[in-house]
Amino acid sequence: MEDNIFLKIIRKEIPADIVYEDEEILAFRDIHPIAPVHILIIPKKSIESIARMETEDVPLIGKMFLVARGIARDLNISEKGYKLLIRVGKDGGQEVPHLHLHLLGGARLSENIHPVK
Ligand code: 5GP
């Protein structure tokens, strides 16, 4: 598996604004936020994308959603709502080849899923 920026963040080789960490999961603020709250939740296990997940990863990926819910509560965006987004591969717009769940909120968010012209 190739090295990437998120593996470097997990290894603390480059800094990140970490909001949650346990033995399996790390969550930190996106460096280029597209919403007032923009957190990335990632597994510490190297999983390239949902396309590469294994059946054994189901509990870990389920836990990523529980962590997202907890962060949303902590940041007081739970009641108004938020968006959870996972990009998969080139057409999905995934830039970093390490599975990540975007937690987006703090404002009413528009839909932006039109094909690129
Ligand atoms: P993707 O497009 O792959 O779904 O999302 C990758 C996200 O990672 C982007 O929103 C981008 O701003 C964020 N990102 C890329 N490099 C870094 C970094 O070094 N630090 C942080 N905190 N976020 C990053």
Side-chain angles (χ1 to χ4, degrees):
M1 175 73 61
E2 229 177 81
D3 205 7
N4 62 67
I5 198 92
F6 289 174
L7 289 172
K8 288 180 179 150
I9 288 173
I10 290 166
R11 296 198 301 263
K12 310 279 165 68
E13 289 170 10
I14 62 165
D17 187 354
I18 292 170
V19 297
Y20 176 89
E21 180 166 20
D22 66 25
E23 65 286 352
E24 295 178 308
I25 288 173
L26 188 69
F28 52 91
R29 291 187 190 276
D30 196 292
I31 204 164
H32 296 125
I34 58 166
V37 172
H38 189 172
I39 310 284
L40 300 171
I41 296 118
I42 68 173
K44 289 187 175 176
K45 179 181 175 186
S46 187
I47 302 172
E48 186 178 317
S49 79
I50 287 293
R52 294 286 174 89
M53 73 177 279
E54 309 276 356
T55 306
E56 67 180 28
D57 298 323
V58 166
L60 175 62
I61 291 168
K63 189 176 167 188
M64 289 167 63
F65 284 85
L66 271 181
V67 168
R69 183 186 70 171
I71 294 168
R73 284 179 178 166
D74 290 347
L75 297 180
N76 290 315
I77 60 167
S78 201
E79 225 163 276
K80 283 198 163 177
Y82 47 88
K83 185 181 289 199
L84 296 172
L85 173 72
I86 297 179
R87 297 193 172 101
V88 183
K90 197 167 168 240
D91 275 3
Q94 182 177 359
E95 283 174 4
V96 180
H98 183 102
L99 175 62
H100 48 285
L101 174 62
H102 295 256
L103 166 61
L104 298 156
R108 190 73 187 269
L109 302 172
S110 66
E111 295 300 325
N112 186 15
I113 54 170
H114 309 296
V116 176
K117 296 228 166 75

